């Protein structure tokens, strides 16, 4: 066969249905997580969503763990973070923008982090993840932290964002069946309202405050983190 002969392309559709690839199977798993809980993701349930037999998926992934690993890698590869700027006058705003963008990315794929942790699947294996972590360490060093603190600050920034998405945003984005969404906007929340003013005087006064939105709570967490970093910067 001549080297000039174009390679045959795999058809994108067959019998009116999109053909599968390893990447499309992984992306289907990400979409699945966006609408259902991580525990519901099985080879059988995903095959049902795709309109194929479970056996067909094994042509592209070895098993459920391989499927989750693939989804985690695609999740990391999809994020294109904003550029970090370590300039003394701009680093705070730059870090805020970076963390807000990372939060938005995690919210687009709810449950991915919890599932990866539960299944002991590391997302750090993807080159994109490694590059992003390396860039963050360099950013914090550029701000003025020693290398050890720069690494710790990088890890803490990720923990802050992931923890907020998994434990705060998740309640608003996908409220559990037993939770009344209106309770999220009450201060203090119902599960903290049983105490009398004499028993817990400070907590009882919280009811007079305006409830915060997830965005205002996230900004408070970011500000606290950023000012902590600033306090450790070498003069």
């Amino acid at each position: 066969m001549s080297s000039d002969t174009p390679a045959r392309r795999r058809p994108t559709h067959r019998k009116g249905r999109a053909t599968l690839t390893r990447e499309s199977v992984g992306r289907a798993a990400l979409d699945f997580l966006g609408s259902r809980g991580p525990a519901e993701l099985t080879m059988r349930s995903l095959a049902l969503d795709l309109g194929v037999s479970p056996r067909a998926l094994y042509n592209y992934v070895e098993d459920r763990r391989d499927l989750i690993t693939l989804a985690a890698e695609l999740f990391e590869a999809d994020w294109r973070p904003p550029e970090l700027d370590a300039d003394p006058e701009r680093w705070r705003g730059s870090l805020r923008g970076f963390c807000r963008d990372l939060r938005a990315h995690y919210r687009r794929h709810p449950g991915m982090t919890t599932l990866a942790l539960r299944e002991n699947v590391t997302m750090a294996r993807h080159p994109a993840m490694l590059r992003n972590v390396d860039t963050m360490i360099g950013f914090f060093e550029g701000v003025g932290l020693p290398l050890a603190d720069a690494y710790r600050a990088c890890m803490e920034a990720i923990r802050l964002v992931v923890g907020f998405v998994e434990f705060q945003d998740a309640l608003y984005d996908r409220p559990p069946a037993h939770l009344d969404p209106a309770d999220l906007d009450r201060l203090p929340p119902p599960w903290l309202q049983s105490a009398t003013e004499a028993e817990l005087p400070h907590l009882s006064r919280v009811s007079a405050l305006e409830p915060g939105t997830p965005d205002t709570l996230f900004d408070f967490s970011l500000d606290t983190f950023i000012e902590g970093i600033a306090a450790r910067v070498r003069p």
Side-chain angles (χ1 to χ4, degrees), residues 61-231:
V61 292
E62 295 179 5
D63 50 26
R64 182 174 181 272
R65 180 177 175 79
D66 188 34
L67 174 66
I68 295 169
T69 301
L70 173 61
E73 290 176 348
L74 290 171
F75 171 80
E76 290 299 339
D78 282 348
W79 187 45
R80 298 292 185 271
E83 187 173 349
L84 285 165
D85 185 350
D87 181 90
E89 300 298 322
R90 295 188 293 269
W91 74 264
R92 289 175 173 82
S94 179
L95 181 56
R96 284 190 183 91
F98 187 95
C99 290
R100 287 169 180 159
D101 197 81
L102 181 58
R103 176 192 175 205
H105 178 65
Y106 275 97
R107 290 179 75 185
R108 285 191 289 270
H109 302 290
M112 183 68 254
T113 303
T114 297
L115 181 59
L117 290 172
R118 183 180 300 157
E119 301 288 336
N120 196 27
V121 172
T122 177
M123 291 186 285
R125 61 186 287 176
H126 196 282
M129 174 66 164
L130 297 176
R131 285 194 299 270
N132 291 337
V133 169
D134 187 77
T135 297
M136 287 185 71
I137 294 172
F139 164 77
F140 284 115
E141 239 192 330
V143 167
L145 295 180
L147 180 60
D149 281 355
Y151 170 74
R152 296 182 186 116
C154 169
M155 294 297 104
E156 187 59 29
I158 295 172
R159 280 191 292 267
L160 185 157
V161 174
V162 173
F164 194 93
V165 170
E166 293 292 319
F167 294 105
Q168 186 69 38
D169 283 326
L171 294 175
Y172 287 81
D173 296 341
R174 194 166 55 187
H178 66 275
L179 179 65
D180 182 350
D183 288 344
L184 295 172
D185 295 325
R186 296 170 63 184
L187 281 180
W191 50 91
L192 290 178
Q193 290 181 1
S194 60
T196 66
E197 183 173 355
E199 293 172 327
L200 297 171
H202 305 297
L203 185 59
S204 64
R205 290 164 52 217
V206 170
S207 59
L209 301 176
E210 288 292 326
T213 67
D215 289 344
T216 58
L217 292 174
F218 184 71
D219 284 343
F220 177 83
S221 297
L222 269 185
D223 288 344
T224 303
F225 171 64
I226 289 171
E227 292 312 309
I229 294 298

Side-chain angles (χ1 to χ4, degrees), residues 41-69:
L41 177 60
T42 65
M43 298 291 280
R44 184 175 296 277
S45 61
L46 183 62
L48 184 63
D49 263 20
L50 292 171
V52 301
S53 69
R55 184 183 297 273
L57 296 184
Y58 287 98
N59 292 320
Y60 307 96
V61 292
E62 295 179 5
D63 50 26
R64 182 174 181 272
R65 180 177 175 79
D66 188 34
L67 174 66
I68 295 169
T69 301

